[in-house]
């Protein structure tokens, strides 16, 4: 059965309210109300395998700050977010920590790396 | 000892950093940036989520990554930055007094850019009844504790206010193991971006209670419960709708206020709607040679436009410094500060023409800049009073429509920006922006 779903595109601050048409094979046939092409890609992902960027923090020993902020190099499947954050909570790095340093490769087999988003110097 | 500087920038957040980099590009060598925190970057350092820079850099950066782009550039340019320093006083003749662990210093600037950002409204500002236990945080403080200081703030959490920081913290705290019971919003609509409601609340099944507010806080040492009640369209609580939620933490995301204590001391005129200085199209305040940009001017939802404002203020400051030097005013320019370019449309005495004031009309809460000079291209920013769909925003000079643009959705949470060309503003002697009624 053909269905249509309404969803808010989260790609940019425009937050387009998409009207998404899906066929029997769960394929997107048409996307309405998208201001740009990213809306269609987002809708397809959202129907088949919703993905989100992961951002969190990881503990740092001997640094000027006790945490370094991190992100995934690309969005990961939504259902793996919690487990990934739980994994990161167990890690501890030692200062100095570099900017865009890879701290976990291919997290949970998603193909995304976890990289730092700031630099943490060694505490004096 | 008095230290002379061409340009002093107060604050090294996104507005101040963008202003510093742009001023250097415009040929101002003698720049000093003053920052209260131990590091530059401002609020971006604790905004570890992504979505910054989509407009400016066409990529979704995290806050620290966005800040780093400007920090690196300022660094490469050798721009002088002092951290751990507070500006104690700014005078209308651009004397700046600072205090730091190194002591008190006095500076004299030719031009000053205000980029101090904003502060959060607190429990006191919204008068929530109840006891005064620990466990009540503003959202920004909660964000700082969790993202920078590694302090988890609670287990069972209610968030009052659906501004973006509150929504972002709902997701962050959930992923860190807390139970966010609800986000409570007094208005019948959210004051955050729609995308944040989707990815921060809907994704995690966190309820958003619209037209509700917190009417009591309980607990002696620590919060033990809060009461939530429904409110009517006037914001008054409705009897018999109260419900008590057991929790240990209440987070307030109930608005931001531009930080203008310094500006007031300098005698700068403040707009009571935006909470920031009144400015002209150059972002110059009522005190010549003092410019304002970023959240100290108006609270923004997107950092990209904060940077853009910083750049505009820097360009104006550079122009001002250039003309005051060329005029032989020397480093201590206490005069009216007239730019060469500040002459009227026909080159008449700069004080003999009137600035045109821009009025926020029907459906518009405020518009910036508040005044413009005739015959200049201007980017206006504004916010609407309430959410709406399929409406046209319109600039009018008297009864004449100068420009209009149709929006599929209008939302007070989303700042509107509209460019008017030199041609469109030609021969305009009054200006109003409003929601157009057919």
């Amino acid at each position: 059965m053909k269905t249509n779903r309404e969803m808010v595109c989260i790609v940019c601050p425009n937050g387009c309210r998409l009207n998404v048409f899906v066929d029997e094979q769960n394929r997107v046939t048409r996307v309405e109300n998208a201001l740009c092409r990213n809306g269609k890609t987002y809708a397809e992902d959202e129907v088949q395998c919703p993905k989100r960027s992961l951002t969190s923090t990881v503990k740092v020993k001997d640094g000027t700050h006790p945490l370094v902020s991190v992100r995934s190099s690309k969005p990961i499947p939504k259902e793996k977010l919690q487990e990934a954050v739980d994994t990161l909570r167990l890690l501890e790095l030692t200062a100095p920590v570099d900017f865009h340093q890879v701290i976990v490769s291919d997290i949970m087999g998603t193909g995304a790396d976890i990289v730092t988003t700031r630099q943490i110097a060694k505490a004096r | 000892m008095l230290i002379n500087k061409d340009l002093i920038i107060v604050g090294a957040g996104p507005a101040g950093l963008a202003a510093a980099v742009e001023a250097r590009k415009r040929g101002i060598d003698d720049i000093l940036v003053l920052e209260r925190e131990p590091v530059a970057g401002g609020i971006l350092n604790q905004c570890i989520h992504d979505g910054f820079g989509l407009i400016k850099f066409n990529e979704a950066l995290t806050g620290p990554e966005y800040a780093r782009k400007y920090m690196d550039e300022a660094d490469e340019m050798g721009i002088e930055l002092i951290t751990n320093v507070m500006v104690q006083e700014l005078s209308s003749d651009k004397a700046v007094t600072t205090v730091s662990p190194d002591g008190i210093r006095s500076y004299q600037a030719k031009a000053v850019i205000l980029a101090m950002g904003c502060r959060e409204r607190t429990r006191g500002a919204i008068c929530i009844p109840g006891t005064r236990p620990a466990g009540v945080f503003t959202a920004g403080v909660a964000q700082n504790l969790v993202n920078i200081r590694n302090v988890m703030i609670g287990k069972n959490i209610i968030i009052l206010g659906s501004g973006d920081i509150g929504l972002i913290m709902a997701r962050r705290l959930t992923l860190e193991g807390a139970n966010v019971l609800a986000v409570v919003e007094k208005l019948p609509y959210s004051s955050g971006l729609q995308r944040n409601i989707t990815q921060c609340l809907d994704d995690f099944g966190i309820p958003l209670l619209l037209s509700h507010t917190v009417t009591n806080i309980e607990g002696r040492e620590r919060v033990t419960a809060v009461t939530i009640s429904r409110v009517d369209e006037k914001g008054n609580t409705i009897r018999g709708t109260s419900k008590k939620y057991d929790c240990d933490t209440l987070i307030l995301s109930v608005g931001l206020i531009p930080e203008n204590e310094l500006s007031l001391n300098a005698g700068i005129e403040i707009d009571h709607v935006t909470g920031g200085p009144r400015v002209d199209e150059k972002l110059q305040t009522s005190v010549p040679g003092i410019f304002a940009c970023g959240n100290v001017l108006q609270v923004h939802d997107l950092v990209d436009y904060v940077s853009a404002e910083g750049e505009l203020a820097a360009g104006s400051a550079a122009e001002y410094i250039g003309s005051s030097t060329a005029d032989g005013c020397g480093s201590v320019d206490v005069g009216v500060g007239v730019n060469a370019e500040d002459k009227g449309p026909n080159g008449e005495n700069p004080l003999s023409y009137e600035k045109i004031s821009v009025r926020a009309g029907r459906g518009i809460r405020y518009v910036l800049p508040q005044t413009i000079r005739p015959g200049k291209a201007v980017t206006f920013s504004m916010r609407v009073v309430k959410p709406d769909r399929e409406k046209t925003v319109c600039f009018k000079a008297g009864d004449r429509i100068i420009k209009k643009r149709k929006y599929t959705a209008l939302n007070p949470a989303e700042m509107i920006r509209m460019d008017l060309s030199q041609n469109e503003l030609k021969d305009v002697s009054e200006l109003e922006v409003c929601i157009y009624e057919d």
Side-chain angles (χ1 to χ4, degrees):
Chain A
M1 198 191 81
K2 282 190 179 185
T3 54
N4 70 327
R5 274 176 63 181
E6 284 183 23
M7 58 178 77
V8 175
C9 178
I10 62 167
V11 173
C12 86
N14 285 330
C16 295
R17 291 145 177 91
L18 307 178
N19 199 9
V20 182
F21 294 80
V22 181
D23 71 6
E24 294 84 348
Q25 276 84 45
N26 208 29
R27 281 180 312 213
V28 174
T29 52
R30 192 152 58 98
V31 177
E32 289 177 351
N33 294 343
L35 285 175
C36 78
R37 257 183 295 174
N38 293 334
K40 185 154 189 284
T41 316
Y42 172 78
E44 283 164 357
D45 272 350
E46 201 61 12
V47 168
Q48 272 134 29
C49 171
K51 294 190 182 82
R52 297 288 183 265
S53 288
L54 180 158
T55 56
S56 188
T57 50
V58 170
K59 286 197 279 288
V60 179
K61 206 164 71 180
D62 302 332
T64 52
H65 294 77
L67 293 173
V68 64
S69 48
V70 300
R71 67 173 303 162
S72 56
S73 56
K74 60 177 186 182
I76 66 170
K78 190 161 101 172
E79 76 274 6
K80 296 201 169 169
L81 269 184
Q82 185 66 62
E83 210 180 328
V85 171
D86 292 342
T87 308
L88 294 175
R89 198 177 303 121
L90 303 175
L91 297 180
E92 186 167 38
L93 308 170
T94 303
V97 179
D98 232 359
F99 180 62
H100 279 177
Q101 183 179 325
V102 176
I103 56 168
V104 182
S105 306
D106 187 19
I107 189 156
M108 336 252 330
T110 57
D113 296 336
I114 299 297
V115 298
T116 60
T117 57
R118 73 181 287 191
Q119 202 173 13
I120 300 291
K122 216 173 164 59
R124 269 178 292 168
Chain B
M1 196 185 73
L2 189 69
I3 306 163
N4 284 307
K5 291 281 166 194
D6 279 352
L7 176 61
I8 290 182
I9 299 172
V10 187
L17 288 172
V21 167
E22 181 66 17
R24 174 59 54 86
K25 285 180 186 164
R26 300 288 187 103
I28 305 299
D29 287 327
D30 192 20
I31 304 170
L32 173 63
V33 185
L34 299 167
E35 170 57 46
R36 181 169 62 179
E37 291 292 312
V39 288
I43 202 69
L44 288 173
N45 288 325
Q46 69 183 57
C47 299
I48 63 166
H49 55 281
D50 74 347
F52 300 91
L54 279 160
I55 296 159
K56 200 141 182 100
F57 302 111
N58 199 25
E59 53 180 327
L61 301 166
T62 63
E65 290 172 307
Y66 187 97
R68 193 183 161 100
K69 279 190 184 272
Y70 287 91
M71 278 148 71
D72 282 352
E73 211 176 347
D75 214 35
E76 280 159 24
M77 290 172 160
I79 292 170
E80 187 184 2
L81 164 73
I82 305 180
T83 55
N84 280 319
V85 61
M86 283 274 285
V87 174
Q88 289 298 298
E89 203 181 340
L90 166 68
S91 73
S92 57
D93 57 0
K94 287 154 290 204
V96 177
T97 311
T98 67
V99 63
S100 75
D102 297 334
I104 294 173
R105 281 191 192 159
S106 302
Y107 297 91
Q108 177 62 55
K110 289 181 189 168
V112 172
I113 294 179
L114 306 173
M116 293 90 80
C118 58
R119 302 290 166 264
E120 291 180 279
R121 291 178 79 206
T122 60
R123 177 181 175 181
I126 54 169
C127 303
I128 306 174
T131 57
R132 305 187 68 82
V136 181
F137 302 90
T138 57
V141 166
Q143 191 179 44
N144 187 276
L145 288 167
V146 174
N147 291 352
I148 303 280
R149 295 174 202 268
N150 199 22
V151 177
M152 189 56 185
I153 57 160
K155 293 192 180 74
N156 292 299
I157 301 172
I158 296 277
I159 299 178
L160 175 60
S162 60
D164 288 311
I165 318 170
L167 300 176
I168 298 278
M169 284 311 292
R171 171 178 64 181
R172 176 78 175 126
L173 290 163
T174 304
L175 283 169
E176 286 303 328
N179 182 19
V180 178
L181 303 166
V183 173
V184 183
E185 171 60 57
K186 194 172 183 183
L187 297 170
Y189 50 87
S190 165
S191 46
L193 297 174
Q194 195 56 48
R195 68 196 287 253
N196 285 334
I197 296 178
T198 301
Q199 60 183 346
C200 298
L201 300 189
D202 298 351
D203 271 7
F204 299 94
I206 300 168
L208 173 61
L209 304 177
L210 297 173
S211 298
H212 281 75
T213 193
V214 172
T215 48
N216 195 26
I217 300 175
E218 289 174 51
R220 285 178 67 83
E221 304 277 305
R222 177 83 193 190
V223 174
T224 54
V226 304
T227 304
I228 293 173
S229 312
R230 184 176 268 282
V231 299
D232 62 22
E233 58 277 7
K234 286 183 185 138
N236 298 319
T237 53
I238 303 171
R239 230 172 242 279
T241 60
S242 306
K243 192 177 163 198
K244 192 159 129 179
Y245 287 74
D246 291 331
C247 62
D248 50 53
T249 304
L250 173 65
I251 291 179
L252 306 175
S253 176
V254 292
L256 301 167
I257 310 164
E259 171 68 65
N260 276 293
E261 255 180 87
L262 280 178
S263 324
L264 283 168
N265 276 331
I268 289 168
E269 209 180 312
I270 301 293
D271 182 310
H272 291 293
V273 181
T274 60
R278 286 175 61 84
V279 291
D280 63 13
E281 79 288 351
K282 295 175 167 195
L283 303 186
Q284 182 166 240
T285 66
S286 62
V287 176
I290 302 183
F291 302 83
C293 56
N295 282 348
V296 78
L297 177 60
Q298 59 174 333
V299 175
H300 290 253
D301 36 275
L302 298 177
V303 72
D304 309 65
Y305 295 135
V306 169
S307 303
E309 264 179 20
E311 286 161 9
L312 174 58
S316 309
E319 207 174 79
Y320 179 89
I321 293 164
S323 63
S324 67
T325 309
D327 291 349
C329 293
S331 58
V332 185
D333 170 24
V334 295
V336 190
V338 173
N339 294 356
E341 213 217 326
D342 238 343
K343 297 202 177 15
N346 306 313
E348 67 267 42
N349 182 310
L351 298 176
S352 72
Y353 71 92
E354 284 288 307
K355 286 193 168 181
I356 301 158
S357 58
V358 187
R359 218 165 64 81
R362 184 197 181 95
I364 304 291
R365 194 159 74 83
Y366 74 80
V367 57
L368 232 73
Q370 288 90 347
T371 59
I372 57 166
R373 290 178 312 150
K376 289 266 163 198
V378 180
T379 299
F380 292 91
S381 46
M382 69 211 83
R383 286 186 192 272
V384 293
V385 172
K386 61 177 178 55
D388 221 329
R389 298 184 75 91
E390 305 292 338
K391 282 274 158 42
T392 301
V393 175
C394 164
F395 276 86
K396 289 196 301 193
D399 289 335
R400 183 162 62 95
I401 292 173
I402 293 175
K403 185 161 193 152
K404 55 183 181 177
R405 191 192 291 164
K406 191 165 184 191
Y407 288 85
T408 47
L410 289 165
N411 187 341
E414 294 166 31
M415 185 189 288
I416 299 170
R417 284 171 59 100
M418 274 173 80
D419 297 319
L420 267 69
S421 69
Q422 188 173 347
N423 199 33
E424 284 164 328
L425 290 170
K426 193 178 61 182
D427 305 326
V428 163
S429 58
E430 57 179 322
L431 198 58
E432 179 186 309
V433 56
C434 60
I435 305 252
Y436 184 68
E437 298 293 329
D438 294 288

